[in-house]
Amino acid sequence: MGNLCCCVQVDQSTVAIREQFGKFDSVLEPGCHCMPWFIGKRVAGHLTLRLQQLDVRCETKTKDNVFVNVVASIQYRALAGKASDAFYKLSNTRSQIQAYVFDVIRASVPKLILDDAFEQKDEIAKAVEEELEKAMSAYGFEIVQTLIVDIEPDEHVKRSMNEINAAARLRVAANEKGEAEKIVQIKRAEGEAEAKFLSGLGIARQRQAIVDGLRDSVLGFSVNVPGTTAKDVMDMVLITQYFDTMKEIGASSKASSVFIPHGPGAVRDIATQIREGLLQGSSVSHH
């Protein structure tokens, strides 16, 4: 209907290419335009000015011989001022861009090892963008942005990398666990040493109290009972402790059978042994 009325409509964000007798005539902006077909003018085609995106997947090899798939995302658009170049000079814009992306990626990534390729994604994207901008500007296209959105190693390589990372983390965890156990053992040893020190201190104080009590008992008994000696008092104290010990053994429900001499002569022997032990200990301490 538009052709019959010699009028044509161009949509927003689009330009139309007008020809006359097969030769480029002009670029039509959005709106309504007169198209006198009877003098050989016609619309050869339309060109969108909207931002377009092309995702390119390129397989290449790194410097350490790992095959990877590099996924690049190219955002581009046609320039309104160079619409005729964009329409006539390229028959397949997407294929042309893809070829340039392949060329740059396969020239850049083989210079890097796999870890560096991951770290230098921005540098690779910048190299691709510069090369595309320089090449595509002559064809009336602007490269808005280039992104390296993914670098995918082979599945076996990814599994190996995950295992390496897992092993490293397990090693760190083992070291941390070992340090924790070491600290626990040190603290436990320090606690045991402190407990033994306090226990020894308590035993020493207990023995000191016993000695002080025996001394007071001997002195008090000697004063109250004239004619007795310190030896008589000690024999009586040892006999009393001897019978107290036998009583405690007998009263304990968990005590096993204990066979010890229990005659008066045995008590005298025990007293003699204790006294000799004390005298020997005293002589050793003096030396």
Side-chain angles (χ1 to χ4, degrees), residues 199-215:
S199 176
L201 187 61
I203 293 173
R205 289 176 177 175
Q206 179 187 18
R207 291 175 177 174
Q208 183 64 40
I210 292 173
V211 170
D212 292 341
L214 290 174
R215 184 182 65 248

Side-chain angles (χ1 to χ4, degrees), residues 97-269:
I97 293 176
Q98 183 173 316
Y100 280 110
V101 172
F102 280 179
D103 182 65
V104 176
I105 289 178
R106 288 174 177 168
S108 302
V109 174
K111 298 177 183 179
L112 306 171
I113 62 174
L114 182 60
D115 292 340
D116 291 342
F118 279 103
E119 294 176 359
Q120 300 183 25
K121 285 170 45 177
D122 292 340
E123 285 77 3
I124 298 172
K126 185 177 180 181
V128 173
E129 183 173 342
E130 290 177 352
E131 185 66 24
L132 281 175
E133 184 67 32
K134 182 169 56 177
M136 299 303 294
S137 61
Y139 299 110
F141 285 93
E142 175 190 13
I143 304 301
V144 178
Q145 192 167 9
T146 301
L147 302 173
I148 301 298
V149 296
D150 198 8
I151 297 178
E152 300 177 354
D154 182 76
E155 188 65 31
H156 297 291
V157 176
K158 287 198 292 185
R159 189 180 301 114
S160 299
M161 292 174 66
N162 290 334
E163 291 176 355
I164 291 172
N165 290 333
R169 293 179 183 278
L170 288 174
R171 184 168 60 251
V172 172
N175 290 336
E176 294 294 334
K177 183 179 180 181
E179 288 296 325
E181 292 178 351
K182 177 181 177 181
I183 293 173
V184 170
Q185 292 178 358
I186 291 174
K187 292 299 181 181
R188 183 184 295 116
E190 291 177 352
E192 292 177 355
E194 185 68 18
K196 290 179 179 178
F197 171 77
L198 295 176
S199 176
L201 187 61
I203 293 173
R205 289 176 177 175
Q206 179 187 18
R207 291 175 177 174
Q208 183 64 40
I210 292 173
V211 170
D212 292 341
L214 290 174
R215 184 182 65 248
D216 293 341
S217 298
V218 170
L219 293 176
F221 197 87
S222 299
V223 171
N224 295 326
V225 182
T228 59
T229 63
K231 177 179 178 299
D232 296 332
V233 176
M234 287 298 300
D235 288 342
M236 184 186 70
V237 171
L238 289 175
I239 291 172
T240 303
Q241 291 182 345
Y242 172 79
F243 284 111
D244 289 341
T245 301
M246 291 188 65
K247 179 181 178 181
E248 290 179 0
I249 293 175
S252 177
S253 60
K254 296 182 180 180
S256 58
S257 298
V258 179
F259 297 94
I260 57 175
H262 58 279
V267 175
R268 188 181 301 109
D269 293 338

